[in-house]
């Protein structure tokens, strides 16, 4: 019969079997298959012998008391450390990263401020006075975006994804690039931008910008991204503005 080369699947299967056998050998379990087969044969013989035993022996065996297994208990409920033994395929790097994430999350919660600011719904414009603008300008120290990132990280904390979304949109506004809805299904028409060419900062009239953003959505198309196009970034910028004025 002519020799036929193995398919990729068959070759991968043979390689996997070889790796498993090498792994069992390194653990001293190379003869585990043989021991399991012998144990199965012994159990079969034992059952056959039992079936041929006398009725009296079978009756005594049924009456014999069954020793209950020890009851399971929870070390967590007893406030004892968990006895965890990692599996062979556990990734040490992943477990270390998760532990670091929990530490960072706990520290972030400790530094979270109690500052709460609701956006007024009955006011469409709230320009700052000259004194307020000067006061905020001194606090910015020439780096508005860095201060805003610090605010959404340590004061008004957001999830990593939401914080990235807000910072991306606010950065576009601060650079004067404007914001355009680029969705394939619901996107705005070409050359339709929210205040392109106008730089937005902590001293801007944020409430007026929020009203203008709503008009853009009414005219060009509603944001189907749950407000992360304009509403949420402008809301966080307004809350940042009020935080600077109060603290």
């Amino acid at each position: 019969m002519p020799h036929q080369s193995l398919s990729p699947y068959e070759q991968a299967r043979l390689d996997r079997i070889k790796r498993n056998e090498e792994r069992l050998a390194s653990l001293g379990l190379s003869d585990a298959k043989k021991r399991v087969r012998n144990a199965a044969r012994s159990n079969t013989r034992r059952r056959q012998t039992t079936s041929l035993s006398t009725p009296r022996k079978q009756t005594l065996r049924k009456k014999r008391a069954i020793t209950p297994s020890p009851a399971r208990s929870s070390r967590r409920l007893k406030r004892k450390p968990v006895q965890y033994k990692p599996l062979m395929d556990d990734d040490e790097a992943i477990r270390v990263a998760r532990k670091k994430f929990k530490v960072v999350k706990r520290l972030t919660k400790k530094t979270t401020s109690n500052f709460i600011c609701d956006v007024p719904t009955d006011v469409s414009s709230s320009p700052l006075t000259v004194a307020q603008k000067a006061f905020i300008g001194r606090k910015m120290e020439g780096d508005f975006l860095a201060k805003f990132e610090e605010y959404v990280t340590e004061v008004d904390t957001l999830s990593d994804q939401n914080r990235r979304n807000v910072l991306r949109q606010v950065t576009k506004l601060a650079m004067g690039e404007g914001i355009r809805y680029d969705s394939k299904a619901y996107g705005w028409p070409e050359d339709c931008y929210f205040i392109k060419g106008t730089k937005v900062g902590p001293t801007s009239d944020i409430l007026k910008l929020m009203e203008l953003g709503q008009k853009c959505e009414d005219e060009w198309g509603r944001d189907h991204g749950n407000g992360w196009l304009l509403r949420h970034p402008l809301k966080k910028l307004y809350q940042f503005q009020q935080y600077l004025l109060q603290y």
Side-chain angles (χ1 to χ4, degrees), residues 6 12 19 34 67 76 90 121 134 167 200 216 223:
L6 297 177
R19 289 197 301 270
K34 183 178 180 181
T67 304
R76 177 180 61 82
D90 278 355
T121 58
L167 290 174
V200 177
C216 290
D223 172 23

Side-chain angles (χ1 to χ4, degrees), residues 26-73:
S26 65
L27 296 174
L29 301 175
S30 57
D31 58 342
K33 184 176 181 180
K34 183 178 180 181
R35 294 203 304 269
V36 171
R37 185 184 298 110
N38 293 337
R41 291 176 179 174
S42 300
N43 291 336
T44 302
R45 295 193 190 98
R46 191 179 299 111
R47 286 196 298 271
Q48 292 175 352
T49 304
T50 302
S51 63
L52 297 175
S53 61
T54 62
R56 177 177 175 79
K57 289 183 178 180
Q58 294 181 6
T59 303
L60 292 175
R61 189 177 295 109
K62 290 180 180 180
K63 292 182 178 180
R64 189 178 301 165
I66 299 176
T67 304
S69 59
R72 298 178 61 184
S73 60

Side-chain angles (χ1 to χ4, degrees), residues 171-185:
T171 300
K172 291 179 181 179
L173 295 175
M175 302 298 292
E177 298 176 2
I179 294 177
R180 182 180 180 277
Y181 195 14
D182 290 325
S183 170
K184 293 182 179 179

